[in-house]
Amino acid sequence: MADVTNGDAFVAFERVQKSYDGETLVVKDLNLSLPKGEFLTMLGPSGSGKTTCLMMLAGFETATHGEIKLDGKPINNIPPHKRGIGMVFQNYALFPHMTVAENLSFPLEVRRMGKSDREEKVKRALEMVQMGEFGGRRPAQLSGGQQQRIALARALVFEPELVLMDEPLGALDKQLREHMQFEITNIAHNLGITTVYVTHDQTEALTMSDRVAVFDDGRIQQLAPPDELYESPQNSFVAQFIGENNTLEGTIQEIKGNTCTVKLDDGSIIDAKPVNVVKPGDRTLISIRPERVEMNKERLSPDAHTLRAEVVEFIYMGDIFRTRLRVAGTEDFVIKTRNAPDQRRLKKGEQIEIGWLPDDARALDA
Amino acid sequence: MTDNTAGPDHITGPTPDNALRDADRAAAGGPMLAADGTPLKKSLARALRRQKLRALGLIAPLLIFVLITFVIPIGDMLLRSIKNDIVADTLPRTVQSLSDWDAEAQDLPGEDVWTDFYIDMWFAAERKEHTRLGTRLNYELTGVSSLFRKTGRRVDRFDTDIYTDQFIALDPGWEEPQTWAAMLGDGPASDVLPLTAGAWEDWKAFNVEEGDKVLEEDVPDLMYTALYHELSQGADVSGLSDRLAAAGEAVGGFETVSLREQFADADEDWLDPEVWQIIQLYSPRVTPGYFANAADMQVTPDGVEARPENQRIYGMLFQRTLFMSLMITGSCILLGYPVAWLLANLPMRTANLLMILVLLPFWTSLLVRTSAWKVMLQQQGVINDVLVWLGLVADDARLTMINNQFGTIVAMTHILLPFMILPMYSVMQTIPPSYLRAAKSLGATNWTAFWRVYFPQSVPGIGAGSILVFILAIGYYITPEIVGGNTGTFISNRIAYHISSSLNWGLAAALGSILLVVVLVLYWAYDKIVGIDNVKLG
Ligand SMILES: Nc1ncnc2c1ncn2[C@@H]1O[C@H](COP(=O)(O)OP(=O)(O)OP(=O)(O)O)[C@@H](O)[C@H]1O
Ligand SMILES: [Mg+2]
């Protein structure tokens, strides 16, 4: 699934497995490689093994099987403090008994750097996160967002080539989180560091990353750039996990090159694009993004299949309209339309006809 | 300049800014009012008062319990360290007349004092209070106890009856209690003869105590002695009754007896000015004597001075107590820290099991544990046997590990260890493992991560445990008593000795007060150095 190790990968997981209790595998078969400078996000539901992967990379857990390589060298036997990997923890883990400046100078001290160099670097790191005046404060005297910046500065101050972040924005409110997302990506790109970022917030993953690895059940379900992940999910887990998604269940009737026809469970026929279905008769889940559903028949090809739908609910959301429909037996079919001057506002109980381009309906595994 | 009032800040209409300003002005002008129109401050105070009363009601039972069973008795106990009523209560007259006596002169006090002392002693002996007084003064001068006991047996057989006989011979009316009662009731006579009148009052009071009627009892010799003394000193009784006037004239020719000789007959130590010095020194109702004693000093007529070298023990005992308590606290830290760390880092189930092991000592009697250490450590004990068997120690050179400081430190470390482990554990439990991980990811070795990051955060636990253990240790009694021998006992053993054996409660109280002050001072110093807010029990 993921690209197999290539020569110039900076970080590489090769067939890594991990079990805590000797009975269940938390990480099942992890293959992952990322080049220098990439911002990779691990995204997945709770308990899917993201933190475990990060901890194995940082050296706090050992892989039960397989190899982890950093810059081409296996690091299984290198203790954490020699790996030179910067890390930002979910609760920040700022040392409460040290001031902000002392926290930042800690990694430099243990590297036996001279005092003046240390001060210089601490100052620059604080300025980088715009916290220049806060050097003398204790972590407890900072707000959550400020602590977050300090944690980031501390992970970067000793200039690691690889930085790991485990849900660093989990404790912040929405607005601050969006701001910090922007800042973190900015800093990471400016410094050219390789970043592995863990989150279970999909918006965060989509907006920040070069590539996203979607985790579930100890495996990477899909590894792709954000747009590809959103637009061409490889399986139904990814389709449902990323963004809003309508699903329709049915059976493949016919596969013809890039399109197939599917018979839904209520008997209606639709067009779709076969993604991981192989032969007619297979059960399939059709995934359609709400904003790709078309109500205007003129924009569809004349021979396209359409479905009858009844408006269940119309929600005005400002920039968009969100309309819930009863389609082919489900009541959870959602369409989103832009709030444009020519856009009609549907009424509850109204009967309409909907359709889509065959490419926008992806026939995935059931 | 243009007209200021026309600026954009001075629109008079209802803008939000103006509304805020109005609100400010209202607040500054009069008090804020609550919804029902009472001033806000007042209704807040009322609400708070109700809350406080309820809180007080909740703690009231405990408060009363603590007051009655703890604060009052201990306060009383501590007061004993300076209280010294017994001399002034038992020898009221002597104390007064002795106050002018010059102790420096090395002379014995005059006849006034002897008469007062005779009267005081007579009553004290009748009431059996002289032995207690003797015991009290014996703390200050050995031998006084037996002096008082001996004299108390003799004082009602003194030869003062010659005064009695001579007064009665002069006028048989003197034999009648009624005569005395009439004379000293309350008339001019009691003003002229204060000593006699006072003695009569005491005699009446004594009879009431005994349940006797004063008018049916024989007038005691001391009354005649007192009367003789005052008349012979020239009390002016001319204008009073004839009988008294006659006696006043006759006393010049009376045969006399020297009270000083009588006392000297009873015990010749009464001729030693030092005895009188001690009585004078300890006649005030408040004395620094116990504290001086507890600090290895003594009160002399010249002030407070150090005791002779060979009588100093308390300073050494205090030092030893402090030193050993510190040693015990130190070894508890060393032994407890790794255990607490392990407890805090093990999975819950294993940690609970270990915790039971830590708490196990609490379930066995203190005496049993201490005695077990005796079995372990004595010369024919388990440890020595094993060492001899291993050939590490020769059979004739078995180690002495009990009845000395070593034994006390070992046994007390064992007993107090849980008090160190528990606070440390509860503090360490709150230190998330991510701190250590963060430190390591920042490049710190295991040791640096521990020392620079984990340890400082566990210090509050060490502080709490240390204070607990140290304060428990410094006042510990049972264990040093059993395994301490001569060199391993604490100041508290001495306090217990004074409370239950020597019955010198004042000294015990003074030692206890000093101990309390030492602990408070150490606590204060700890606060200055480490900071008391750095102490956390969980
Ligand atoms: N120290 C451990 N001992 C035993 N099991 C563990 C341990 N740490 C994690 N697990 C288990 O491993 C699985 C994966 O955990 P992990 O922490 O990697 O999940 P995650 O993807 O980071 O989830 P979240 O989004 O909630 O942080 C979980 O089922 C968890 O119960
Ligand atoms: Mg996690």
Side-chain angles (χ1 to χ4, degrees):
Chain A
M1 210 175 299
D3 37 348
V4 180
T5 323
N6 46 20
D8 55 271
F10 182 53
V11 178
F13 286 84
E14 290 171 10
R15 315 200 62 89
V16 170
Q17 290 185 326
K18 170 74 186 174
S19 169
Y20 283 109
D21 52 9
E23 284 167 18
T24 49
L25 282 174
V26 170
V27 174
K28 289 192 175 133
D29 178 25
L30 186 71
N31 293 290
L32 178 66
S33 65
L34 58 161
K36 235 183 172 103
E38 186 177 54
F39 195 115
L40 178 110
T41 298
M42 293 179 173
L43 174 68
S46 195
S48 55
K50 309 179 297 286
T51 301
T52 306
C53 289
L54 218 56
M55 288 302 160
M56 287 192 288
L57 186 50
F60 299 121
E61 296 290 351
T62 46
T64 316
H65 175 84
E67 211 158 63
I68 303 174
K69 286 182 178 166
L70 186 63
D71 217 0
K73 290 182 285 286
I75 54 170
N76 287 13
N77 291 322
I78 301 179
H81 66 271
K82 293 207 177 124
R83 295 192 184 187
I85 298 175
M87 194 153 181
V88 181
F89 292 82
Q90 176 162 11
N91 58 3
Y92 315 138
L94 294 176
F95 307 140
H97 58 291
M98 299 185 190
T99 63
V100 164
E102 284 164 353
N103 261 286
L104 259 65
S105 110
F106 181 82
L108 307 177
E109 272 170 52
V110 300
R111 287 178 171 72
R112 306 198 188 290
M113 189 177 281
K115 189 156 189 282
S116 53
D117 284 357
R118 262 182 358 227
E119 277 166 5
E120 175 62 30
K121 287 206 171 192
V122 168
K123 191 159 156 277
R124 255 194 289 139
L126 280 177
E127 269 158 18
M128 177 182 71
V129 293
Q130 294 151 35
M131 295 281 294
E133 315 96 88
F134 293 87
R137 295 243 196 130
R138 295 274 163 133
Q141 297 166 321
L142 300 178
S143 74
Q146 291 168 333
Q147 292 183 31
Q148 216 295 320
R149 285 163 202 246
I150 301 302
L152 181 64
R154 189 179 65 175
L156 296 175
V157 71
F158 61 100
E159 291 164 10
E161 286 184 276
L162 175 63
V163 176
L164 313 181
M165 306 191 197
D166 192 359
E167 303 194 31
L169 305 180
L172 304 185
D173 64 55
K174 187 162 174 291
Q175 208 165 359
L176 195 55
R177 198 155 63 208
E178 277 164 12
H179 181 74
M180 287 305 298
Q181 287 167 10
F182 172 75
E183 245 172 70
I184 289 177
T185 33
N186 242 2
I187 290 174
H189 281 141
N190 287 346
L191 299 180
I193 41 181
T194 315
T195 312
V196 180
Y197 189 98
V198 166
T199 180
H200 52 226
D201 177 340
Q202 40 142 320
T203 334
E204 207 165 286
L206 295 184
T207 52
M208 297 176 79
S209 331
D210 295 329
R211 281 193 303 166
V212 179
V214 180
F215 270 66
D216 185 42
D217 194 23
R219 285 180 209 280
I220 293 182
Q221 301 290 336
Q222 186 169 357
L223 175 65
D227 53 346
E228 193 184 322
L229 207 59
Y230 186 80
E231 281 162 27
S232 351
Q234 288 299 316
N235 56 39
S236 52
F237 174 81
V238 177
Q240 300 198 52
F241 194 75
I242 308 279
E244 205 168 3
N245 183 48
N246 292 308
T247 52
L248 296 171
E249 273 188 69
T251 317
I252 304 286
Q253 275 203 319
E254 186 185 8
I255 301 181
K256 236 193 277 160
N258 242 347
T259 52
C260 62
T261 44
V262 178
K263 185 174 181 197
L264 297 184
D265 291 351
D266 72 334
S268 37
I269 304 287
I270 58 168
D271 302 316
K273 171 180 178 167
V275 178
N276 52 6
V277 286
V278 274
K279 56 182 193 303
D282 277 359
R283 291 291 293 169
T284 180
L285 264 181
I286 310 296
S287 143
I288 309 148
R289 297 290 180 198
E291 67 276 12
R292 295 293 168 94
V293 178
E294 197 54 74
M295 294 190 297
N296 192 344
K297 263 187 114 173
E298 287 150 29
R299 297 212 199 119
L300 299 174
S301 63
D303 58 341
H305 288 102
T306 57
L307 290 177
R308 298 197 59 74
E310 182 192 332
V311 177
V312 179
E313 192 180 20
F314 175 84
I315 302 170
Y316 176 83
M317 294 180 72
D319 53 345
I320 57 163
F321 304 146
R322 193 165 182 278
T323 316
R324 202 147 66 77
L325 304 174
R326 178 176 300 128
V327 174
T330 87
E331 286 212 348
D332 290 332
F333 200 94
V334 171
I335 60 175
K336 285 181 186 163
T337 43
R338 227 159 46 80
N339 183 357
D342 60 335
Q343 188 63 53
R344 218 163 59 78
R345 302 185 185 186
L346 298 169
K347 300 221 166 31
K348 192 173 169 187
E350 207 175 318
Q351 300 283 334
I352 55 170
E353 222 168 310
I354 55 169
W356 43 79
L357 298 175
D359 270 2
D360 289 336
R362 299 171 63 81
L364 305 172
D365 54 313
Chain B
M1 287 293 283
T2 50
D3 183 3
N4 253 339
T5 52
D9 274 354
H10 290 266
I11 303 164
T12 44
T15 67
D17 265 10
N18 285 349
L20 275 179
R21 259 178 238 132
D22 283 348
D24 274 358
R25 214 171 299 131
M32 289 285 271
L33 298 186
D36 60 356
T38 51
L40 195 54
K41 273 220 173 95
K42 214 159 127 203
S43 47
L44 180 68
R46 197 183 321 133
L48 282 182
R49 191 164 52 237
R50 219 172 304 137
Q51 231 169 27
K52 275 185 203 154
L53 277 181
R54 181 152 0 114
L56 197 67
L58 284 175
I59 61 162
L62 179 65
L63 195 67
I64 293 169
F65 176 77
V66 166
L67 263 179
I68 293 179
T69 62
F70 201 69
V71 175
I72 295 175
I74 288 194
D76 177 65
M77 190 70 211
L78 293 184
L79 271 186
R80 277 171 198 274
S81 61
I82 50 168
K83 235 163 63 178
N84 187 45
D85 288 333
I86 188 165
V87 182
D89 282 348
T90 320
L91 306 176
R93 295 173 187 81
T94 318
V95 162
Q96 210 161 29
S97 52
L98 202 57
S99 61
D100 312 328
W101 178 62
D102 181 8
E104 298 293 288
Q106 294 291 311
D107 285 336
L108 286 172
E111 198 63 21
D112 270 352
V113 175
W114 289 104
T115 312
D116 287 342
F117 185 55
Y118 167 60
I119 299 172
D120 286 339
M121 267 307 275
W122 192 90
F123 281 114
E126 286 296 317
R127 291 186 171 122
K128 311 252 181 312
E129 280 171 353
H130 65 295
T131 48
R132 271 181 52 216
L133 178 62
T135 313
R136 164 68 187 95
L137 291 177
N138 201 56
Y139 301 148
E140 317 301 337
L141 185 67
T142 37
V144 177
S145 178
S146 69
L147 177 63
F148 270 80
R149 235 179 302 122
K150 232 156 128 191
T151 312
R153 282 199 300 268
R154 296 278 296 268
V155 74
D156 67 337
R157 288 186 276 125
F158 274 10
D159 294 340
T160 47
D161 51 348
I162 62 164
Y163 296 124
T164 315
D165 297 344
Q166 292 178 89
F167 272 107
I168 293 172
L170 196 65
D171 183 340
W174 284 119
E175 200 173 1
E176 301 303 323
Q178 284 81 359
T179 314
W180 293 85
M183 176 177 80
L184 298 169
D186 44 14
S190 53
D191 295 337
V192 181
L193 304 168
L195 179 67
T196 316
W200 182 250
E201 289 304 314
D202 276 9
W203 170 242
K204 279 202 300 196
F206 177 68
N207 275 292
V208 172
E209 281 167 32
E210 298 285 299
D212 294 331
K213 297 223 164 45
V214 71
L215 294 182
E216 291 167 10
E217 294 289 316
D218 286 344
V219 179
D221 292 344
L222 77 100
M223 290 307 303
Y224 298 96
T225 314
L227 185 58
Y228 167 77
H229 181 74
E230 281 189 309
L231 292 176
S232 68
Q233 299 280 313
D236 179 15
V237 291
S238 45
L240 302 168
S241 71
D242 293 346
R243 188 185 284 131
L244 204 50
E249 281 183 11
V251 289
F254 271 18
E255 191 188 335
T256 62
V257 57
S258 160
L259 281 171
R260 176 171 140 176
E261 297 300 325
Q262 292 292 312
F263 276 106
D265 267 359
D267 193 316
E268 61 185 13
D269 278 352
W270 288 116
L271 300 183
D272 182 358
E274 214 184 334
V275 173
W276 295 98
Q277 270 180 12
I278 290 295
I279 295 179
Q280 190 189 39
L281 221 43
Y282 285 90
S283 34
R285 287 180 180 274
V286 170
T287 175
Y290 293 121
F291 274 106
N293 201 342
D296 282 339
M297 296 198 275
Q298 56 191 356
V299 179
T300 65
D302 307 327
V304 180
E305 61 184 39
R307 271 179 194 276
E309 201 86 47
N310 57 355
Q311 288 180 22
R312 295 182 200 164
I313 57 167
Y314 299 114
M316 185 270 291
L317 267 179
F318 271 114
Q319 271 175 26
R320 185 203 284 167
T321 306
L322 281 183
F323 166 75
M324 287 178 61
S325 300
L326 283 176
M327 288 293 287
I328 290 162
T329 312
S331 38
C332 277
I333 294 176
L334 289 183
L335 293 177
Y337 196 92
V339 178
W341 188 85
L342 198 64
L343 276 173
N345 286 285
L346 280 178
M348 208 53 185
R349 192 134 41 94
T350 333
N352 282 342
L353 201 73
L354 253 183
M355 186 55 105
I356 290 176
L357 292 184
V358 168
L359 294 179
L360 205 59
F362 279 143
W363 300 350
T364 44
S365 143
L366 180 61
L367 271 173
V368 172
R369 270 179 287 156
T370 307
S371 310
W373 276 113
K374 241 184 149 113
V375 176
M376 292 290 287
L377 295 177
Q378 65 194 353
Q379 290 212 309
Q380 301 303 321
V382 180
I383 292 181
N384 263 315
D385 282 349
V386 170
L387 289 178
V388 168
W389 180 73
L390 288 175
L392 292 175
V393 167
D395 199 9
D396 51 358
R398 284 170 175 254
L399 304 173
T400 1
M401 294 183 290
I402 199 87
N403 295 334
N404 57 16
Q405 297 199 358
F406 179 81
T408 309
I409 291 177
V410 168
M412 280 186 61
T413 300
H414 169 239
I415 285 161
L416 296 177
L417 199 52
F419 295 101
M420 182 65 83
I421 293 178
L422 290 179
M424 282 206 226
Y425 167 63
S426 67
V427 166
M428 287 181 185
Q429 238 187 346
T430 63
I431 306 176
S434 62
Y435 285 131
L436 270 185
R437 290 185 165 178
K440 283 185 213 164
S441 81
L442 293 171
T445 57
N446 285 341
W447 169 251
T448 317
F450 167 77
W451 183 243
R452 295 276 316 273
V453 174
Y454 195 86
F455 181 77
Q457 294 188 65
S458 65
V459 162
I462 301 180
S466 300
I467 287 191
L468 214 58
V469 168
F470 183 78
I471 288 178
L472 281 174
I474 210 171
Y476 227 71
Y477 161 66
I478 298 181
T479 307
E481 185 71 24
I482 297 178
V483 300
N486 279 332
T487 56
T489 47
F490 280 21
I491 193 72
S492 37
N493 299 98
R494 201 66 198 169
I495 295 179
Y497 164 77
H498 282 307
I499 294 230
S500 56
S501 300
S502 80
L503 300 185
N504 189 353
W505 287 18
L507 180 56
L511 289 170
S513 306
I514 292 181
L515 194 59
L516 183 64
V517 169
V518 167
V519 169
L520 288 180
V521 165
L522 286 173
Y523 193 74
W524 173 82
Y526 183 91
D527 185 28
K528 284 279 149 212
I529 299 166
V530 186
I532 218 66
D533 44 344
N534 246 334
V535 169
K536 211 161 53 167
L537 284 168

